[in-house]
Amino acid sequence: QVQLVESGGGLVQAGGSLRLSCAASGRITLAYEMGWYRQVPGKQRDLLAVIKSGVITNIADSVKGRFTISTNNVRNAVNLEMNSLQSEDTAVYYCHFDAYIPGVGRRDIWGQGIQVTVSS
C-alpha cells in the first residue's frame, strides 16, 4: 500500500518561511501529477500548486510569488517552499499524487495533512 508522508509543518511568525515535503512510502511507477492543497475548517479544500511531468501547471493567485513547488522524481517526492507567510495561510496542508501503482493501477493518493499555523 502506498502512502504519502508529509513533513515540515508547524508554527511560524508572520513573514517567516516553511518548507513542506511529501514523499511516497511505497513503489510508484509513474506520478502523472503531484500537488499541494490546503483546507481551513468549515471550508473546501483549495488547490495551491500542481506539477505535471515536471511542469508547473497550476498555482493559486493567493500564493503566487510566495510559494514554490518542486519535485524530486527519483524519490517520488514533492516540496512546497513557503515564504512571506501570512496569518491567512494558516490551514491544514495536503499533498496529492495522481500516480500509477504497480499491481493496482492509476490512483489518487492523499497525504494525511499537516498543520501550518502563522502567528501575527
Side-chain angles (χ1 to χ4, degrees):
Q1 183 179 0
V2 174
Q3 294 182 325
L4 299 183
V5 180
E6 296 146 337
S7 61
L11 175 65
V12 64
Q13 288 188 334
S17 300
L18 283 175
R19 178 183 171 91
L20 303 182
S21 296
C22 171
S25 63
R27 184 167 170 246
I28 293 175
T29 303
L30 176 64
Y32 299 99
E33 175 183 301
M34 294 186 274
W36 286 95
Y37 295 71
R38 70 185 180 190
Q39 188 170 22
V40 175
K43 296 190 175 182
Q44 68 179 20
R45 189 171 297 183
D46 293 328
L47 181 151
L48 293 177
V50 172
I51 287 186
K52 295 182 181 178
S53 301
V55 178
I56 297 173
T57 58
N58 300 86
I59 187 157
D61 288 340
S62 60
V63 304
K64 199 171 292 184
R66 300 188 299 122
F67 291 11
T68 303
I69 188 171
S70 61
T71 60
N72 181 335
N73 289 323
V74 174
R75 293 182 55 244
N76 284 323
V78 61
N79 305 306
L80 187 69
E81 188 77 35
M82 304 186 295
N83 298 312
S84 301
L85 284 162
Q86 306 163 2
S87 57
E88 306 89 85
D89 297 315
T90 295
V92 177
Y93 286 67
Y94 297 89
C95 64
H96 168 260
F97 281 22
D98 173 5
Y100 187 87
I101 303 170
V104 176
R106 187 170 179 172
R107 291 290 186 272
D108 281 316
I109 314 167
W110 288 92
Q112 79 281 4
I114 191 165
Q115 179 70 44
V116 171
T117 302
V118 184
S119 63
S120 55

